[in-house]
Amino acid sequence: MEKTIYIFGHKNPDTDSVVSATAYAAFKNAQGCTEYKAARAGKLNPQTDYIYKKFGVTPPEFIPDLNPRVAYYMTDKVDMVNQMNSFWAASQFMRRTGRRVLPVVDDEGKYKAILNFNSFSKNVFEILNPEHHISVFTDINLMNQTLNGKILFKGDFADELHKYTIVSGASSFESFKQTLRDHEHEGIVVVTGDRDDIQRLCLEKDVRALVLSAGRVPSSEIIEAAKKSKTSIIVSKYDTASTSMLILYSTPVRMVCDHGVKPIKGEDSIQKILPLLKDADGQTLPVVDDENRVVGILSEIDIHHEPKISVALVDHNEMSQAVDGIENYTICDVVDHHRLGFSKTKLPISFINMPLGSTSTIITKMFREQNLEIPLDVAKLLLCGILSDTLILKSATTTPIDVEIASFLAEKTGLDIQSLGEEIIKAGSRISGRTSYEVINQDMKEYNENCAIFTVSQIEVDGAGEVLGRKNEFLDDLEIARRSHGALFSTLLVTDISTLSSVMLIASEEKFLQCVNLPKQEEHVYFLKDVVSRKKQLIPMLTEVLATYGN
């Protein structure tokens, strides 16, 4: 894969988070930075899904985690060798380039085996076993290519692979005659010089191939006799010994490679394939796609290099809310409107944080400040991001800049702020038909304050009655969330868009509940008048409660 900077919102993304990833990618791409790509680590909530479908926009790519994967480290510009190439050509290529391992593929680029020094050494030594006469699987074309020779005549089956026994025609005539008798039922290729008697005997005995060394060209009578006996004739410029050796190396790669090496895939985790990589010859493995085509190669050295991906964060800057595995990569950019919760970085980065009602507002400002045209579909999404995060510009987090930016986007897109806002809020407020688990996890954020971990989920509804009617179900799933996060408490802020107030459901140990000094509506439920913002209103309240609890 090419160098990529993935743009992520927080782990359980709301509309502003997903829209900001899409819009920031468009902004960076407009600047010529094509390596930026929008991504998301969580499922689209109903509101966000509705918006993207309404405007016909493809959502950011779903990447559930950034745990190190093969694709992030592999070499994707990889040399390969066709299984029917001669071993000589492959070995010369490896010598010239310094490659110690080559994937072996068929004509469609599909993986077949691996060629490495260990595999071909083992197979060549087997061929050169002194207890047996030297023989090799090859065909006339491969022989000729390897010898850089000239074919004077092609006999029957010349284009098919056969097992050829290599016989030298350098001995006395009687000795050679006996050798042919010893191998008369085998496919024989004879390597000889200008021995007319040897050549004629070969044609009488119908040997498969006759290779003439040192550039010796046979007489026209020999060529005519070869046509009758269907014996192929090749002229080699090399001496007899060198020609015999090169014929040995004309065997196709498929005969000398290692068929036992299984390929890996780009989506495989590094942790999973590490034992395979360590055991592989050359500590190198081929990488294939779903159709078994070779797309890269991974060596043990590769996984110690910098990965091919980096990360940009939008709508959050706290690692507890970031995609899992982010610690393995460089963070390049942050665009956010929340409190600072960022850890240190190795290198300087672009960090834009403004106290506005939404990250969508900030990104729209960036387009305008850089005099970049906002694509119409992106402008529609940005307006939705602002209206969603500011509750149609009524939230306590709304600023005059949010109002001005929303008006600008409404004019550009021809959309009505109030009707669009009501439409998307309604799309996200549906509770019926959804489990409490889905509602709690659709927009959950994890925080760490005063050495205490806690989670806060939020949903906007047109009346909190349905949630309260299912209070026990929601509290049970909040307790499950609390335990899975190792948290002190977990809450769900249910914001009533008709009254611009909220109720808060909380699951925690009794000791902590005793410190919660908020207006109590019923057990584990608190009424928060005029509270609609998680970041600007609820989090400061909970921070004060934690301070009391800590003392």
Side-chain angles (χ1 to χ4, degrees), residues 438-510:
E438 290 176 315
V439 173
I440 290 168
N441 285 277
Q442 78 171 25
D443 184 12
M444 175 190 285
K445 293 184 178 180
E446 181 182 295
Y447 298 88
N448 193 326
E449 290 283 344
N450 298 331
C451 299
I453 295 172
F454 63 95
T455 71
V456 179
S457 302
Q458 184 175 17
I459 185 169
E460 291 93 22
V461 296
D462 187 8
E466 185 173 354
V467 174
L468 294 176
R470 297 164 58 187
K471 181 186 79 169
N472 291 337
E473 178 190 344
F474 277 92
L475 287 174
D476 287 345
D477 275 319
L478 281 171
E479 178 61 21
I480 291 171
R482 183 182 78 84
R483 292 182 180 181
S484 66
H485 284 262
L488 176 62
F489 63 91
S490 289
T491 71
L492 172 63
L493 185 67
V494 183
T495 300
D496 187 337
I497 57 176
S498 61
T499 63
L500 294 181
S501 293
S502 302
V503 293
M504 181 182 72
L505 281 69
I506 183 168
S508 76
E509 295 181 1
E510 188 62 33

Side-chain angles (χ1 to χ4, degrees), residues 260-532:
V261 178
K262 302 300 180 185
I264 56 178
K265 291 192 172 183
E267 60 267 28
D268 289 339
S269 71
I270 294 296
Q271 184 178 11
K272 172 187 171 183
I273 62 91
L274 201 54
L276 302 175
L277 192 60
K278 289 183 179 296
D279 291 341
D281 286 331
Q283 284 71 57
T284 303
L285 291 171
V287 186
V288 299
D289 61 15
D290 290 337
E291 296 181 345
N292 206 41
R293 288 187 173 87
V294 174
V295 294
I297 199 164
L298 181 75
S299 71
E300 193 170 23
I301 294 175
D302 289 335
I303 63 176
H304 296 293
H305 292 162
E306 283 293 313
K308 296 179 182 180
I309 69 168
S310 302
V311 182
L313 304 181
V314 292
D315 201 36
H316 74 300
N317 69 88
E318 298 190 45
M319 294 303 98
S320 62
Q321 298 172 14
V323 56
D324 291 338
I326 193 173
E327 66 277 4
N328 297 292
Y329 308 96
T330 298
I331 297 173
C332 302
D333 313 48
V334 175
V335 182
D336 193 18
H337 69 128
H338 295 92
R339 67 178 190 172
L340 296 183
F342 202 68
S343 59
K344 64 182 181 180
T345 60
K346 294 180 181 178
L347 300 170
I349 68 170
S350 171
F351 194 106
I352 300 173
N353 188 285
M354 302 178 72
L356 300 177
S358 73
T359 305
S360 295
T361 304
I362 300 173
I363 295 174
T364 306
K365 276 175 54 66
M366 293 168 68
F367 269 105
R368 295 172 75 183
E369 289 164 359
Q370 294 293 321
N371 293 316
L372 294 173
E373 181 68 22
I374 307 175
L376 185 60
D377 57 348
V378 174
K380 293 174 181 178
L381 295 178
L382 284 166
L383 179 56
C384 291
I386 295 171
L387 299 181
S388 171
D389 234 33
T390 62
L391 292 179
I392 321 179
L393 304 175
K394 296 176 184 176
S395 169
T397 60
T398 306
T399 69
I401 294 176
D402 294 297
V403 175
E404 189 275 325
I405 291 289
S407 297
F408 162 77
L409 291 171
E411 182 177 351
K412 179 179 178 64
T413 60
L415 296 169
D416 180 74
I417 287 177
Q418 189 61 36
S419 61
L420 177 63
E422 291 175 358
E423 181 182 349
I424 65 174
I425 293 296
K426 181 179 179 181
S429 65
R430 181 178 59 82
I431 300 296
S432 59
R434 302 173 63 198
T435 66
S436 54
Y437 175 87
E438 290 176 315
V439 173
I440 290 168
N441 285 277
Q442 78 171 25
D443 184 12
M444 175 190 285
K445 293 184 178 180
E446 181 182 295
Y447 298 88
N448 193 326
E449 290 283 344
N450 298 331
C451 299
I453 295 172
F454 63 95
T455 71
V456 179
S457 302
Q458 184 175 17
I459 185 169
E460 291 93 22
V461 296
D462 187 8
E466 185 173 354
V467 174
L468 294 176
R470 297 164 58 187
K471 181 186 79 169
N472 291 337
E473 178 190 344
F474 277 92
L475 287 174
D476 287 345
D477 275 319
L478 281 171
E479 178 61 21
I480 291 171
R482 183 182 78 84
R483 292 182 180 181
S484 66
H485 284 262
L488 176 62
F489 63 91
S490 289
T491 71
L492 172 63
L493 185 67
V494 183
T495 300
D496 187 337
I497 57 176
S498 61
T499 63
L500 294 181
S501 293
S502 302
V503 293
M504 181 182 72
L505 281 69
I506 183 168
S508 76
E509 295 181 1
E510 188 62 33
K511 182 180 178 182
F512 178 77
L513 281 179
Q514 293 174 2
C515 298
V516 179
N517 56 353
L518 301 174
K520 189 173 182 179
Q521 182 167 311
E522 52 185 285
E523 286 299 315
H524 298 278
V525 180
Y526 298 83
F527 177 69
L528 307 178
K529 182 176 174 55
D530 299 329
V531 172
V532 294

